[in-house]
Amino acid sequence: MTDTVLSSATKEVVIGFDRPFVIIGERINPTGRKLLAAEMKEGDYSRVKSDTLAQIAAGAQMLDVNAGIPLADEPRILAEAIQLVQSLTDAPLSIDSSIVAALQAGLEVYKGKALVNSVTGEEDRLETVLPLVKKHGAAVVAISNDETGISEDPDVRFEVAKKIVQRAQDYGISPSDVVVDPLVMPVGAINDAGRQVLRLIRRLREELKVNTTCGASNFSFGLPNRHGMNASFLSMAIGAGMTSAITNPLHEPEMAAVLGANTVMGVDPNCTEWIRKYREPAAEGEEGRRGGRRRRRNA
Amino acid sequence: MTDTVLSSATKEVVIGFDRPFVIIGERINPTGRKLLAAEMKEGDYSRVKSDTLAQIAAGAQMLDVNAGIPLADEPRILAEAIQLVQSLTDAPLSIDSSIVAALQAGLEVYKGKALVNSVTGEEDRLETVLPLVKKHGAAVVAISNDETGISEDPDVRFEVAKKIVQRAQDYGISPSDVVVDPLVMPVGAINDAGRQVLRLIRRLREELKVNTTCGASNFSFGLPNRHGMNASFLSMAIGAGMTSAITNPLHEPEMAAVLGANTVMGVDPNCTEWIRKYREPAAEGEEGRRGGRRRRRNA
């Protein structure tokens, strides 16, 4: 039973064993989104705003915020984006950057306990990111690669994760505040990627007893029907013990897979969430019956 | 590595660890299908024929054949149905009845090595069904309940399965010819049904080292969006080690979940089956491009 508690000024979200899976919305990220990148660089956060509202409406419990724009003032932009997002939603945030100064700027304006995304097993990352995480009382995503790159051997990735957890403890950060990303590889390139990562997720949960997260959609890279493949992968990763994912909550097949997996795992008491989402409007009263299949207004 | 080899006169299908999941089509079953029951009783097998062809076209590797019609001559009807189905497809069959004389009649006309569905842990069933399975060199589905009913405790169900496997060995039937049905309960009634059965599937595979099957759709009984829930459940059951299911291959969400799970488990080399099923027609040549999104003729 490991709980990672994240918070905004007014709301807590817990990533944990035997709890509903936590979806961290991935959309606020200019990587590969030219228009968003150009707008954020100019101080136009209208799309950040709409992405915030849409992801929360779609069921994300947390949001990842990234401002990685080439040749831009990333620390300032990230801090501004975080302040805007926190003014729009009480969902806790993941502060996402590969630049330590940007993580620092984000943490300084953040209200609550953030998830810092991320630290790797590389020495220089460990030595700069972990003190920052400790100073701000945050939690951190630990990516299981190091100076030697990403090993295809899940047991090597396990050892890297273990090293990060131990080093975090040296800095006074509890293992429950380290959320390990086992690194999801594309199955179209590495045929054994699924089996590898399921095995690693199971070991991280049973042996290292940490929470886990991943960029789930990477699994289906290059394949047709990516949503279908992501759905199977997410359900199976949850079955193996994964407790959160950084993914796109606007994709219905993936969200259905997560809700279904929650029910299979016994963390949707009386199937309440599943029934709330999928019951027929006709069963809800006269209006629904007369109007046929309508979208529910408060869904 | 446990392989259960089933066959028709000309084709083998293997249910096994580290192999593609085997779908046993469930449609040829008059239970709850009044029209089919009435037709079969009158010797009209036209619907049995169309169900056979449709299920094979949809990707079933085996078919279950059941002729359980009240006040009908079940042994004769089952034998006739089996002969018809075997004249239409080379897929191996599961011979499904609770009446021993019907199983016997089916086995006597069956060409190849059938899967007998089923034996339970009840003494009278063990003593009548197992000798029949041995005599015909068949394999058997072992349902993990006994005289005391179906236990909600997965460890009790494990012990029942173990007893059946041992008793089968006493009759000279190899454990690799016993396919255990752990019994899937509806999660709408038993909140812990998913976790229970995943744990049981894992134990059956790792400790008892047997293949498994189940009536997957029972899981979603009473819930909305049953296909979505079945899809999550099937993916997760495959992740836990389940190797076959008796289900409806005409339901696309479930079939996508199974194909996706095969890919995640590394048993779809180069994602060949996934790509074959889901690639865009446009990628296939001029015709597809001109015609837009068309169904492929040979899909």
Side-chain angles (χ1 to χ4, degrees), chain A residues 225-263:
Chain A
N225 187 11
R226 291 191 65 175
H227 299 312
M229 182 59 75
N230 293 342
S232 276
F233 173 70
L234 273 165
S235 288
M236 294 168 83
I238 293 170
M242 195 165 70
T243 49
S244 73
I246 301 174
T247 191
N248 187 340
L250 306 177
H251 293 157
E252 161 60 19
E254 285 88 332
M255 292 302 274
V258 167
L259 271 189
N262 279 341
T263 310

Side-chain angles (χ1 to χ4, degrees), chain A residues 30 47-48 51-52 90 106 115 132 151-152 169 178 184-185 203 217 263 275 285:
Chain A
R47 205 171 297 264
V48 172
D51 282 343
T52 297
D90 59 2
L115 181 61
L132 202 57
S151 172
E152 273 201 38
Q169 277 188 290
V178 181
V184 172
M185 313 298 270
R203 287 196 70 195
S217 58
T263 310
I275 292 168

Side-chain angles (χ1 to χ4, degrees), chain B residues 71-215:
Chain B
L71 305 176
D73 183 0
E74 187 173 331
R76 179 184 56 77
I77 299 174
L78 186 58
E80 287 176 5
I82 284 167
Q83 287 176 297
L84 174 73
V85 174
Q86 286 214 297
S87 75
L88 296 167
T89 177
D90 59 2
L93 305 185
S94 152
I95 301 176
D96 184 1
S97 179
S98 56
I99 294 173
V100 176
L103 294 177
Q104 186 167 358
L107 282 164
E108 276 166 9
V109 300
Y110 186 79
K111 289 177 188 144
K113 180 178 171 189
L115 182 61
V116 171
N117 186 5
S118 58
V119 69
T120 67
E122 297 160 290
E123 277 304 321
D124 63 328
R125 305 296 299 171
L126 292 167
E127 284 174 21
T128 49
V129 176
L130 292 180
L132 203 57
V133 170
K134 175 60 186 172
K135 180 182 168 196
H136 290 274
V140 66
V141 174
I143 300 191
S144 50
N145 70 302
D146 62 12
E147 287 84 356
T148 64
I150 300 172
S151 174
E152 272 201 39
D153 180 345
D155 293 336
V156 172
R157 301 221 291 277
F158 179 84
E159 292 304 324
V160 174
K162 193 170 166 183
K163 181 179 87 170
I164 302 175
V165 168
Q166 284 168 344
R167 194 66 67 86
Q169 278 189 290
D170 295 343
Y171 281 98
I173 301 164
S174 160
S176 67
D177 279 333
V178 181
V179 179
V180 174
D181 182 342
L183 285 167
V184 172
M185 313 298 271
V187 70
I190 301 171
N191 199 62
D192 217 29
R195 230 174 352 191
Q196 276 177 14
V197 81
L198 293 186
R199 178 180 145 78
L200 182 48
I201 290 166
R202 221 170 266 132
R203 287 196 70 196
L204 289 168
R205 175 152 178 161
E206 290 170 8
E207 298 176 44
L208 206 53
K209 298 180 170 50
V210 289
N211 281 306
T212 41
T213 197
C214 73

